[in-house]
Amino acid sequence: MGKVSIALRGWRFDEEEVFDDDGEIRPLEEVSDETRERLIRLRVVAGEPCDACYLLSESKSDCNVARIVYGEPLGEVLLCPDHEADFLYWYREAGGSDHRGDEHFADYFHEWFAAGNRAPEGYGGLDHVDTEPDRVPAPDMGEDVPELEAALEEIDDEDLDALGMDYSDVT
């Protein structure tokens, strides 16, 4: 088993840590704090619009659905494949990597993009190779995930607050 993306490409998880032998998501108390935080955040952001599309149109209905996530929870950038090259250019060539781990990471990309900056024509993105994709469990994080929903309900508000995240729209 290896690293897998769940719901959105970008954040990678250790398959054995996240999934049990039956391919179900493990209870949240059985995964590391970082993995728990990302899984809960994925439940919130899966199905949301691409940040770049939203900056261009300001109407969610006119945006592509995000398929990619970069950054850290609550400072993440959500992207569609059409705008991934812009983000990668910003990160690799325009100083974006200087903001890695910063809580305002997404804000810095948004400011750069909103100022009209883009990747040069033909700028290469990432080549993604799915190795044995049929072997990896793929829960639909955009809808109810019973195991995750049940785990969220069992976590008291103080513990959720300790994670520094607002989950009111999913609990």
Side-chain angles (χ1 to χ4, degrees):
M1 298 210 173
K3 296 280 189 177
V4 296
S5 293
I6 301 171
L8 298 172
R9 187 171 34 82
W11 286 346
R12 309 273 293 152
F13 298 93
D14 179 7
E15 189 175 354
E16 289 180 350
E17 180 185 10
V18 175
F19 296 106
D20 63 20
D21 292 337
D22 297 324
E24 300 296 324
I25 294 178
R26 292 186 186 281
L28 290 178
E29 60 272 4
E30 292 181 15
V31 301
S32 69
D33 291 344
E34 179 182 347
T35 297
R36 179 181 313 118
E37 187 175 358
R38 287 176 184 243
L39 285 172
I40 292 170
R41 188 67 184 151
L42 277 175
R43 177 63 182 94
V44 174
V45 300
E48 289 295 310
C50 166
D51 290 353
C53 288
Y54 191 65
L55 287 168
L56 293 172
S57 71
E58 297 185 12
S59 170
K60 286 185 177 186
S61 63
D62 295 332
C63 298
N64 293 325
V65 174
R67 300 285 180 227
I68 305 152
V69 60
Y70 288 110
E72 298 300 321
L74 294 178
E76 71 272 345
V77 176
L78 302 174
L79 300 162
C80 66
D82 294 345
H83 291 112
E84 184 177 26
D86 295 320
F87 172 84
L88 292 173
Y89 180 81
W90 169 77
Y91 187 81
R92 295 174 180 162
E93 314 292 339
S97 63
D98 294 344
H99 306 292
R100 182 178 185 183
D102 188 302
E103 67 183 271
H104 300 289
F105 181 76
D107 296 333
Y108 293 122
F109 171 71
H110 296 161
E111 289 171 9
W112 179 86
F113 189 85
N117 296 300
R118 303 291 185 273
E121 189 68 36
Y123 184 79
L126 294 175
D127 290 329
H128 301 282
V129 178
D130 289 332
T131 306
E132 301 183 61
D134 295 335
R135 226 190 68 190
V136 178
D140 183 358
M141 297 293 284
E143 298 297 326
D144 289 343
V145 181
E147 299 84 3
L148 188 54
E149 299 296 328
L152 283 172
E153 288 177 12
E154 291 176 13
I155 298 174
D156 64 32
D157 290 340
E158 288 178 9
D159 289 339
L160 286 175
D161 288 343
L163 291 173
M165 300 171 76
D166 177 14
Y167 303 105
S168 59
D169 59 340
V170 295
T171 56

